[in-house]
Amino acid sequence: MPGTGGGSLSLRIGSVGRDALLLLLLTFVCISMGAGTFAAYARAGGCPNEQLRVQDGYALALPDCRAYEQASPVDKNFTDAFGEADVVQSSPSGEAVTFFSIAPFPGVLSATGHLLYLSTRAGDEWSTQGLVPPTVSRSQPEHGSASVLSLTEDLFAAVVLVEPGLEANMTPGRYSYLRDNATGAFRLLGPGIARFADATAGNSRILFEDTAKELVPGVRDEQEVPYLYEWNGSEPPGQELSLAGILPDGKAPVDGSVAGAGGPALGGATGGATGKFYTQNTISADGSRIFFSDAGTGQIYMREPEAARTIPVSAGSAYWRAATANGSSVFYTEAGGLYRWCKRMPENEPCEGEKEAGEPVTTQIADTPAGVLGTLGISTENGSYAYFVAGGVLADNENGNKEKAEAGKGNLYEWHDGQTIFVAQLGTEDLYDEYNWRAFYRLNPKVGPAAGEKSSRVTPDGKMVLFTSQRRLTSYDNAGQGELYLYDATSGELTCVSCNPSGIPATSEAYLAGNPSIVAAPERNAFLTRNLSEDGSRVFFQTEEALVPQDKNGQMDVYEWERERAGGPDGCSRSSAGFSERSGGCLYLISTGESGDPSYFGDASPDGNNVFFFTRQPLVSQDQDENYDVYDARVGGGIAAQNPPPPAGCTGEGCLGPVDPAPVFGAPSNATFAGTGNLKPAPAKPKKAVVKCPKARKRSHRRCLKKRIIKRSKRASKHA
């Protein structure tokens, strides 16, 4: 447990009784930290993982029976584990997470640009692998190159770009491969850069865009504009690829096709995955429907591959906004209006207004004069909710802030089953609020809560929407600082979840994610970090403002807001120290509020049980360096091996134990790619015995290093 002396306390629960243990904890905390801070640490004695939380010490301050787990490797070669919005991604299960580094970790061969890693949890252990094949010398060109283009949502597969190709006797050039992250096997997608758009569950069918001149026979791309293709893994080898963007007449659009948004409505921007637009749900969960735009005309279409049929969705040039996961509904804007197109799936209820079974129905949510600026999101479960911003007055209700919709303002509306309600008025003078309804990722470190990421989130059922604003939307004085607001469509309540519960005017902005110190991050497909849990009960964010008394470092820290009665026996209640009547929930630190460097949010699992964040502060005893690591604040978590108790009867350096060997990264030993042999990992380094250091060297974190190297590595780590 952290103390004023910077030490730690490790306790083992064996024959010690529960009451004695709690008394010992109380005594230690009161002496080392002051009795006033004890309430933040001793909150739940009944967590099933309490022994692991006590063994860690820091974890006792976490809510929801969470405990810290180090997801990045211990040995990082004196470099940092980095993260950034649009790069860090948690798997839906919370058992895997991605991050990157600038210099390679031990055992990882060089790649082009940044190195992307995948850490996975199996049993009680986190392991890390590099996701690109090694760049080894080849005949054409002399040296190879490789980079990760994208990952599927479940993180089971990655699309990597390799030059030259991995098979023998390939034409010189760049090739895209699908990498199986479990086995390390590579399957060829095709020549050129494959921009991943979406995939079905299990990744059996994948949508991507490519500018190759002739990726499939008979389709020549003389202009080298993006065309949308489908890779179907169930087809025989050599027959997996087909053109997905096909017009009703069976021809390919002259100016190309892209997943989701594309065409003149984008103001000249390249649409789809190529332009870093959000393309989630452009293929239905079962793969039976694909949505694309003609890049020349901007008209939106639905393609049914099995039926070999294409159906128009919009009447003309339009702006694709979102679709339901099952592909039954599409939302788009056209000529200033907002529309929902619905064609029921065989197992679904009829669409509202349907006259004949299976007939598509278009519903006008807002007409042309409304001047719709964009959408914050929809209910992806069934399309019954939509949140959008428009300049027109579409409702006459007054919100909780005594405001009404005004013409020419950024009016935020909720649409639900035919009824439109005014929610709040957002700013349109600058880019901060505009990021709520942006349909693409555009890096801008100086603007926006996630430095380029769309800043709104909607729960799958559509009943909760999280968004950001610099305007004063509640009674709290945010002093022009950006705050996070949660709207509950069921109750009609708007809550500021990042506002200071003390009522003191805001002194700093709240952000969804982002590390301002990172100048450039690896290129990825655009996706949204999970700041809002799928049930709407938890929100994760970061801020430099101290929102709880335990936040004393004046640095960026990661927070959780939790709704009352969420989180189980160790969750939020009115008796919780962090409860705020103003927000109807509790504020907790996820990082400790003690680190001398900024900590920042990475991603979370959909249920919010796993929160991945980056910090320099060692939060488990195996972490012995000053570099950034990615940690998982995991509900019911904790790994005993990461907090080993010191050997009995040891003193001084004898308590340190042997130096662990450097981990081996890269492709698994059975990694394969078509036409060649197995990739082999680098050999593990042998264990070294603990010895006393020579005069010219100094012991640092269980290693004998030259003194100037220690100074240089700490300085470089500090300014990375």
Side-chain angles (χ1 to χ4, degrees):
M1 181 173 293
T4 55
S8 62
L9 174 68
S10 295
L11 295 177
R12 301 182 67 182
I13 300 178
S15 59
V16 180
R18 183 176 193 79
D19 293 340
L21 173 63
L22 291 177
L23 178 60
L24 178 59
L25 283 173
L26 176 61
T27 302
F28 174 78
V29 174
C30 290
I31 293 173
S32 64
M33 303 186 65
T37 61
F38 179 73
Y41 284 83
R43 295 210 329 236
C47 293
N49 60 335
E50 194 69 2
Q51 178 177 351
L52 295 172
R53 283 159 49 88
V54 169
Q55 192 171 334
D56 176 358
Y58 284 111
L60 290 172
L62 291 171
D64 309 330
C65 293
R66 296 184 187 271
Y68 291 120
E69 297 181 3
Q70 185 180 4
S72 51
V74 173
D75 193 347
K76 295 178 291 297
N77 203 24
F78 296 106
T79 192
D80 292 310
F82 275 132
E84 178 58 281
D86 204 50
V87 176
V88 183
Q89 185 175 357
S90 166
S91 66
S93 66
E95 302 288 329
V97 66
T98 61
F99 58 94
F100 70 96
S101 70
I102 297 175
F105 291 169
V108 175
L109 297 179
S110 177
T112 304
H114 300 87
L115 295 108
L116 196 65
Y117 299 95
L118 174 68
S119 280
T120 54
R121 190 183 196 270
D124 285 335
E125 182 180 8
W126 282 93
S127 59
T128 304
Q129 59 173 305
L131 292 180
V132 296
T135 58
V136 296
S137 299
R138 302 173 189 271
S139 57
Q140 292 182 341
E142 184 177 358
H143 295 285
S145 64
S147 60
V148 177
L149 296 174
S150 56
L151 285 103
T152 56
E153 183 180 1
D154 56 18
L155 302 185
F156 289 166
V159 177
V160 299
L161 181 68
V162 179
E163 183 178 6
L166 299 178
E167 294 91 342
N169 303 319
M170 297 184 75
T171 302
R174 294 182 293 184
Y175 293 85
S176 294
Y177 289 83
L178 186 67
R179 181 189 192 272
D180 186 319
N181 292 335
T183 65
F186 291 84
R187 297 184 67 176
L188 179 67
L189 290 177
I193 303 175
R195 299 294 185 185
F196 172 82
D198 201 9
T200 57
N203 309 312
S204 60
R205 305 176 77 161
I206 291 177
L207 283 185
F208 67 92
E209 298 161 12
D210 203 311
T211 59
K213 283 192 175 182
E214 191 169 7
L215 198 57
V216 297
V219 181
R220 289 195 60 81
D221 186 1
E222 299 293 349
Q223 302 181 68
E224 296 188 13
V225 294
Y227 274 88
L228 184 64
Y229 297 90
E230 180 190 9
W231 180 87
N232 190 336
S234 63
E235 295 292 336
Q239 300 179 33
E240 299 99 333
L241 279 184
S242 63
L243 183 68
I246 302 176
L247 297 175
D249 61 5
K251 298 180 181 179
V254 175
D255 297 311
S257 55
V258 294
L266 276 56
T270 301
T274 303
K276 298 216 68 167
F277 279 73
Y278 297 104
T279 54
Q280 287 73 24
N281 297 333
T282 49
I283 186 170
S284 60
D286 63 0
S288 64
R289 295 180 177 183
I290 295 171
F291 300 101
F292 70 93
S293 294
D294 182 325
T297 67
Q299 190 167 9
I300 302 172
Y301 295 94
M302 180 190 73
R303 176 71 177 173
E304 296 176 308
E306 279 76 18
R309 176 175 59 202
T310 301
I311 300 172
V313 172
S314 64
S317 179
Y319 198 133
W320 187 91
R321 297 291 179 175
T324 54
N326 66 2
S328 63
S329 295
V330 173
F331 290 77
Y332 64 92
T333 51
E334 185 173 1
L338 176 61
Y339 301 86
R340 183 186 72 171
W341 178 91
C342 180
K343 187 177 190 299
R344 68 160 151 161
M345 302 293 283
E347 69 277 9
N348 286 11
E349 294 293 325
C351 297
E352 184 179 353
E354 179 181 294
K355 296 179 180 179
E356 296 183 14
E359 176 190 35
V361 178
T362 300
T363 301
Q364 185 182 72
I365 297 174
D367 58 10
T368 297
V372 175
L373 300 176
T375 57
L376 277 68
I378 68 165
S379 54
T380 55
E381 287 182 356
N382 54 26
S384 62
Y385 284 88
Y387 297 92
F388 64 98
V389 176
V393 177
L394 307 179
D396 60 1
N397 66 289
E398 183 178 84
N399 66 10
N401 205 30
K402 307 298 182 181
E403 289 182 323
K404 287 190 173 185
E406 297 181 51
K409 301 292 186 179
N411 303 304
L412 170 59
Y413 294 101
E414 168 209 340
W415 176 85
H416 175 53
D417 287 346
Q419 184 179 7
T420 301
I421 298 173
F422 171 68
V423 175
Q425 194 178 110
L426 303 183
T428 57
E429 312 79 41
D430 51 43
L431 292 176
Y432 189 96
D433 285 24
E434 183 185 324
Y435 273 86
N436 287 300
W437 59 88
R438 280 203 169 184
F440 54 87
Y441 178 89
R442 186 69 48 80
L443 184 63
N444 188 343
K446 297 181 180 179
V447 180
E453 188 181 28
K454 183 182 179 78
S455 56
S456 57
R457 306 287 185 271
V458 178
T459 55
D461 63 9
K463 296 180 180 180
M464 298 278 185
V465 57
L466 176 72
F467 60 94
T468 62
S469 182
Q470 290 179 328
R471 296 193 73 249
R472 183 172 178 174
L473 302 183
T474 65
S475 60
Y476 175 76
D477 182 7
N478 64 315
Q481 303 285 354
E483 300 286 3
L484 275 63
Y485 296 90
L486 185 64
Y487 174 72
D488 184 339
T490 302
S491 65
E493 294 181 354
L494 181 64
T495 301
C496 180
V497 297
S498 63
C499 291
N500 197 320
S502 69
I504 299 173
T507 58
S508 182
E509 311 235 71
Y511 298 87
L512 294 179
N515 181 357
S517 67
I518 297 176
V519 178
E523 282 291 322
R524 281 284 313 275
N525 56 303
F527 64 92
L528 298 176
T529 52
R530 299 184 183 97
N531 299 82
L532 177 63
S533 63
E534 57 189 357
D535 65 356
S537 66
R538 293 166 172 166
V539 176
F540 307 104
F541 63 95
Q542 61 189 54
T543 181
E544 292 182 354
E545 186 170 357
L547 301 180
V548 296
Q550 294 75 37
D551 190 348
K552 300 179 182 299
N553 59 355
Q555 300 283 353
M556 187 81 74
D557 278 294
V558 181
Y559 279 86
E560 173 188 359
W561 174 89
E562 186 171 67
R563 187 179 298 280
E564 184 185 359
R565 293 186 296 277
D570 191 30
C572 179
S573 68
R574 289 184 171 268
S575 61
S576 300
F579 180 78
S580 169
E581 190 75 39
R582 187 190 301 267
S583 70
C586 299
L587 272 176
Y588 305 116
L589 274 166
I590 293 295
S591 55
T592 65
E594 299 176 5
S595 175
D597 296 281
S599 301
Y600 52 99
F601 177 76
D603 198 12
S605 55
D607 57 10
N609 286 345
N610 296 268
V611 185
F612 295 97
F613 68 102
F614 294 80
T615 182
R616 285 192 190 275
Q617 184 180 13
L619 299 178
V620 294
S621 61
Q622 74 169 13
D623 186 358
Q624 294 287 317
D625 60 36
E626 297 180 355
N627 296 109
Y628 269 109
D629 281 285
V630 55
Y631 277 88
D632 180 6
R634 183 183 183 92
V635 172
I639 297 175
Q642 293 191 353
N643 291 290
C650 66
T651 58
E653 289 189 355
C655 297
L656 295 177
V659 177
D660 292 332
V664 177
F665 301 108
S669 57
N670 64 337
T672 62
F673 46 84
T676 62
N678 289 348
L679 294 174
K680 296 181 179 179
K685 295 181 180 179
K687 290 188 177 182
K688 298 179 181 179
V690 177
V691 295
K692 293 185 177 181
C693 299
K695 291 182 179 180
R697 296 175 178 264
K698 182 179 180 181
R699 189 170 189 86
S700 177
H701 305 315
R702 306 182 186 182
R703 299 167 179 84
C704 291
L705 302 175
K706 291 181 180 179
K707 294 182 179 180
R708 66 175 183 273
I709 292 179
I710 295 173
K711 293 179 180 178
R712 184 173 67 248
S713 66
K714 289 184 177 180
R715 185 167 57 250
S717 174
K718 200 75 170 178
H719 297 285

